[in-house]
Amino acid sequence: MSARIYQQPKNAMQSGRANSNKWVLEYMPSDRKVADPLTGWAGSSDTDQQIKLQFDSLEAAQSYCKDKNIEHDVIATPNKTLKIQAYSDNFG
């Protein structure tokens, strides 16, 4: 079983930074999805894909993986850059 650990980015509709400091552990799919013959919906027998665990720090997420013997990859958080603009930049 393998997992990935990343810091959840804020969504496009969010101006604040609530819950952007949480670390998320997601299990990687171990089984491919197959179309259901009756409905056509895609699904698999792997229920671990439905689990998302949140941690307060990266170290806590890594220690959880170490305790449960889960191979994990840490996805680096991209740098947050602010584009500072002034109204007068429109007329220059």
Side-chain angles (χ1 to χ4, degrees):
M1 184 177 342
S2 64
R4 63 180 169 189
I5 300 171
Y6 62 93
Q7 198 167 20
Q8 190 167 5
K10 67 178 193 171
N11 82 34
M13 301 300 294
Q14 182 179 5
S15 62
R17 297 190 182 204
N19 294 329
S20 64
N21 56 354
K22 298 280 186 184
W23 288 87
V24 178
L25 182 136
E26 264 186 357
Y27 291 102
M28 299 299 289
S30 62
D31 200 12
R32 69 181 191 91
K33 294 191 178 204
V34 179
D36 184 78
L38 182 61
T39 62
W41 293 358
S44 72
S45 61
D46 182 21
T47 57
D48 288 335
Q49 295 179 41
Q50 301 171 6
I51 299 172
K52 280 188 181 180
L53 301 175
Q54 289 189 350
F55 296 93
D56 291 329
S57 67
L58 175 61
E59 292 78 22
Q62 288 177 328
S63 67
Y64 176 83
C65 288
K66 185 178 176 184
D67 291 343
K68 304 292 183 184
N69 293 326
I70 300 171
E71 296 178 18
H72 63 280
D73 294 325
V74 177
I75 299 173
T77 306
N79 292 335
K80 299 172 185 165
T81 58
L82 291 174
K83 184 178 178 184
I84 299 175
Q85 292 180 321
Y87 180 71
S88 62
D89 291 342
N90 296 329
F91 307 102

